[in-house]
């Protein structure tokens, strides 16, 4: 049972570089999310997707892009990295069928990104 | 605006009981979640309350009062492995989770 898999676990970027954080889930979940977590702060939603081909902005989308071409994959793209994007990034998925609101999130292990 | 408040840090003794409080303000309400997060790890689901009252699950219990915008997580028979951050999150009318900053629980022998 792989669950939610994120890569890479650690990455150091230089200012202005770009990179993609990969996220894959094998639970056939329709909802997928990208969060960032800064020290002493709550999780902030960057982007989310309710199904393949559908994505929407969260609370802090600036500087990021996503795509959802398949149910399984939800990559997060950082363009022109800035020091403010130094954070821990978590991908998560959940299953929510019509009429149910369980919302339990399954998280990946996290990707620790430093921009210097 | 939407807001979640919970204490930043709490300390308790091994074997004791601790209660972590959470107050929330959201646009609409579709449930209150508690997650546990050990240092350097991902959050893991603990509990979900959508109706008023107490939900018990082993050593952990979670309480909700919708009229007061209040929840607590009760941990009994504390063990050293319970040292972690506990995240409170409320689901708003758009089924989005609003997260608190987390309560760091330190367990002393």
């Amino acid at each position: 049972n792989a669950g939610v898999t994120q890569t890479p676990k650690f990455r150091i970027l230089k200012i202005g570089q770009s990179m993609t954080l990969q996220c894959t889930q094998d639970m056939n979940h329709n909802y997928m999310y990208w969060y960032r977590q800064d020290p002493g702060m709550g999780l902030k939603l960057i982007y989310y997707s309710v199904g393949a081909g559908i994505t929407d902005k969260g609370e802090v989308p600036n500087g990021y892009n996503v795509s959802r071409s398949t149910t399984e994959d939800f990559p997060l793209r950082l363009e022109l990295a800035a020091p403010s994007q130094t954070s821990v990034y978590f991908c998560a998925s959940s299953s929510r069928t019509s009429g149910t609101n369980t919302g339990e999130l399954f998280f990946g292990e996290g990707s620790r990104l430093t921009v210097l | 605006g939407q807001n979640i408040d919970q204490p930043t840090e709490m300390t308790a003794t091994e074997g004791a009981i601790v209660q972590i409080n959470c107050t929330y303000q959201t646009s609409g309400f579709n449930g209150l979640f508690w997650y546990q997060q050990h240092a350097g790890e991902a959050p893991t689901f603990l509990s979900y309350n959508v109706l008023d009252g107490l939900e018990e699950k082993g050593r952990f219990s979670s309480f909700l009062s919708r009229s007061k915008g209040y929840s607590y997580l009760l941990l009994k028979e504390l063990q050293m492995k319970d040292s972690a951050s506990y995240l409170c999150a409320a689901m708003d009318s758009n089924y989005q989770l609003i997260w608190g900053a987390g309560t760091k629980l330190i367990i002393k022998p």
Side-chain angles (χ1 to χ4, degrees):
Chain A
N1 289 339
V4 180
T5 304
Q6 280 181 242
T7 56
K9 288 186 170 51
F10 302 92
R11 183 72 185 270
I12 297 175
L13 283 179
K14 294 182 179 179
I15 294 172
Q17 286 186 319
S18 299
M19 75 162 296
T20 300
L21 298 176
Q22 301 292 344
C23 177
T24 299
Q25 54 95 5
D26 62 359
M27 297 173 283
N28 201 31
H29 285 170
N30 48 347
Y31 286 75
M32 295 190 74
Y33 310 82
W34 274 105
Y35 288 96
R36 60 176 289 173
Q37 185 177 38
D38 300 319
M41 306 289 285
L43 291 163
K44 300 293 185 185
L45 183 63
I46 305 171
Y47 271 94
Y48 68 100
S49 170
V50 302
I54 306 170
T55 62
D56 213 342
K57 296 178 180 178
E59 186 180 358
V60 290
N62 291 345
Y64 307 94
N65 274 302
V66 294
S67 60
R68 183 93 182 269
S69 57
T70 66
T71 299
E72 295 77 19
D73 299 311
F74 191 43
L76 177 71
R77 178 81 177 163
L78 280 73
E79 303 282 0
L80 300 175
S84 60
Q85 293 178 304
T86 294
S87 188
V88 179
Y89 292 83
F90 288 103
C91 179
S93 71
S94 68
S95 176
R96 189 185 305 148
T97 56
S98 177
T100 66
N101 306 317
T102 56
E104 175 186 351
L105 297 182
F106 295 82
F107 285 86
E109 292 185 342
S111 299
R112 284 148 184 80
L113 177 66
T114 301
V115 182
L116 301 175
Chain B
Q2 307 198 101
N3 192 52
I4 305 284
D5 284 317
Q6 54 181 130
T8 302
E9 186 174 296
M10 299 181 70
T11 302
T13 304
E14 189 177 15
I17 299 173
V18 71
Q19 178 175 312
I20 302 174
N21 296 323
C22 169
T23 58
Y24 64 89
Q25 287 181 307
T26 54
S27 301
F29 180 75
N30 280 300
L32 193 290
F33 295 80
W34 286 96
Y35 284 78
Q36 181 188 59
Q37 186 177 25
H38 285 101
E41 298 183 7
T44 56
F45 172 79
L46 286 177
S47 68
Y48 170 71
N49 294 65
V50 67
L51 300 176
D52 285 354
L54 187 68
E55 295 276 347
E56 297 186 75
K57 191 185 294 185
R59 293 189 299 113
F60 292 9
S61 302
S62 55
F63 172 84
L64 176 67
S65 169
R66 295 179 63 142
S67 62
K68 295 182 180 178
Y70 168 70
S71 173
Y72 67 73
L73 182 68
L74 190 72
L75 291 75
K76 303 176 185 176
E77 302 170 10
L78 286 169
Q79 302 174 10
M80 298 304 292
K81 67 178 183 179
D82 297 329
S83 292
S85 288
Y86 291 86
L87 311 180
C88 174
M91 183 174 279
D92 69 12
S93 57
N94 294 320
Y95 301 103
Q96 296 298 332
L97 285 175
I98 311 302
W99 295 83
T103 299
K104 183 179 180 180
L105 178 62
I106 299 169
I107 309 296
K108 294 186 175 180

